[in-house]
Amino acid sequence: MIRVLLLAVSLVAMASCDWAARGSSLRVPFDAHLRLPKMNIFDQSKIEAKRSEAVREEERDEVLWTSECSPRVAGVRRGQDARLQCEVVAPTGSVLTWYKDGVSLNREGAQVEVGSTPQELLEEATNMLGLEEELSSTASTSDSVLQISSVVYLDCVSDQHQATYKLEVRAPRSQKSYSRLFTVVIVGDESETLEEGPTCRLGGLVNALPRIYQHSPAAMGHVGDSVMLPCRSQGHNVTREWFLNDERISGDASYQISGTGDLIVRRLSAQGRTRYTCRVASTRFSALSDTVLTEMVTM
């Protein structure tokens, strides 16, 4: 637990979380005779070693929420532009999924990986290293930790946006699910005249906007780890490019850019601190683009 918290604090200030656990009790009658197998010290040491390893695995698989999350109940005004946003600190291989009233969100123009999972469930998957057997086995032993920011854009707010949204994070090893709910309600007088948000004037063209909705502002990993840095975007007719310290990255033995735009960094080298940039640009409107930075720290 200490190591995970140290990694998390190095990335971002954490929000406090209250957890409750249910206990159970077992009553044994006084007249019961329990025969326990004999156990020598070597057997005991093996059990303790297994327990310690299980604890370490659980710590490596923990997901922590940061303070950078939208309010649990968010009031928005009709015709305005808004967004839901939340950040987590999670291990490489975690999968993030947004739901609206229990249905997974559909991102206009989002790219998905081809696989056996239904497409609608893959639209929000991020830094999943299970696309290839090689990367899947690498991810299972990686100690890298990511700060992940995920956004839902609420364009030209109307009644259809009033709903309960859920961000679910699934840990890669234990498959534990962590979730947080957000309720969006429209506030203000309907007769009140306010200037409309920019997306109201765009109409259907809003789906052409290149916007990154999921990325990692910061990442931390050990030398030799493989990491997938998410860069999930929405918008039709867009291109995705990655840069390392302002130099464009092309696929080679050290890097691979997935079909969804994520950057796979194979076997981190001892470079200390590096800066990765993901840029998404429209192929139809040259002035439209979106850019995010990822600070990578190698230990």
Side-chain angles (χ1 to χ4, degrees):
M1 178 65 73
I2 294 177
R3 183 172 65 178
V4 172
L5 287 178
L6 287 176
L7 292 175
V9 169
S10 301
L11 295 174
V12 68
M14 309 307 307
S16 62
C17 295
D18 295 325
W19 297 92
R22 292 185 177 178
S24 60
S25 60
L26 176 65
R27 292 186 177 181
V28 180
F30 290 110
D31 59 348
H33 297 280
L34 302 179
R35 294 185 178 182
L36 301 178
K38 293 183 179 180
M39 183 180 298
N40 59 40
I41 189 172
F42 300 104
D43 293 331
Q44 185 65 33
S45 64
K46 289 180 181 179
I47 291 177
E48 291 300 327
K50 289 182 179 180
R51 287 176 178 171
S52 298
E53 180 61 28
V55 170
R56 285 195 294 270
E57 281 296 316
E58 185 175 351
E59 291 175 352
R60 290 168 60 191
D61 216 31
E62 190 170 10
V63 172
L64 302 173
W65 302 96
T66 80
S67 59
E68 299 299 320
C69 284
S70 297
R72 300 299 182 94
V73 178
V76 296
R77 289 185 175 273
R78 197 182 306 273
Q80 301 298 292
D81 294 333
R83 65 181 186 176
L84 294 175
Q85 181 173 2
C86 200
E87 288 188 356
V88 298
V89 175
T92 288
S94 299
V95 177
L96 278 70
T97 309
W98 277 94
Y99 296 89
K100 177 183 178 183
D101 287 337
V103 180
S104 57
L105 284 180
N106 174 41
R107 302 282 191 168
E108 287 287 346
Q111 298 296 309
V112 298
E113 298 290 351
V114 177
S116 57
T117 306
Q119 175 171 318
E120 61 269 21
L121 297 182
L122 284 171
E123 303 233 357
E124 283 286 334
T126 190
N127 39 296
M128 177 61 124
L129 293 185
L131 307 180
E132 301 175 10
E133 291 184 3
E134 173 191 355
L135 293 177
S136 180
S137 60
T138 303
S140 64
T141 58
S142 175
D143 282 330
S144 58
V145 176
L146 305 179
Q147 174 189 349
I148 306 173
S149 176
S150 192
V151 177
V152 173
Y153 295 98
L154 306 178
D155 299 321
C156 193
V157 169
S158 63
D159 290 336
Q160 66 175 346
H161 293 103
Q162 290 194 119
T164 297
Y165 297 80
K166 180 176 75 170
L167 174 58
E168 181 183 83
V169 185
R170 191 171 73 245
R173 300 177 184 88
S174 67
Q175 295 297 299
K176 278 186 179 180
S177 290
Y178 302 76
S179 61
R180 178 166 288 196
L181 298 178
F182 306 89
T183 301
V184 174
V185 295
I186 293 179
V187 297
D189 190 346
E190 206 170 320
S191 62
E192 187 178 2
T193 303
L194 294 174
E195 183 179 355
E196 289 184 332
T199 60
C200 291
R201 296 187 289 272
L202 290 177
L205 288 177
V206 70
N207 294 330
L209 292 176
R211 292 186 289 188
I212 297 171
Y213 64 83
Q214 209 148 266
H215 77 288
S216 176
M220 182 180 293
H222 295 279
V223 174
D225 277 357
S226 290
V227 184
M228 179 174 277
L229 302 179
C231 182
R232 295 293 168 99
S233 62
Q234 60 190 69
H236 297 291
N237 301 309
V238 299
T239 59
R240 300 166 180 83
E241 293 180 301
W242 277 93
F243 301 84
L244 171 59
N245 297 331
D246 299 326
E247 292 188 11
R248 188 174 182 276
I249 294 175
S250 57
D252 55 26
S254 301
Y255 300 101
Q256 177 184 339
I257 300 176
S258 74
T260 57
D262 301 335
L263 176 67
I264 303 167
V265 184
R266 295 190 177 92
R267 293 176 292 279
L268 293 175
S269 58
Q271 299 183 37
R273 185 181 296 272
T274 51
R275 184 183 67 183
Y276 291 90
T277 303
C278 178
R279 182 175 183 270
V280 178
S282 171
T283 58
R284 296 178 58 190
F285 307 98
S286 58
L288 298 179
S289 65
D290 196 8
T291 302
V292 293
L293 301 177
T294 300
E295 292 287 339
M296 169 68 74
V297 179
T298 307
M299 298 177 293

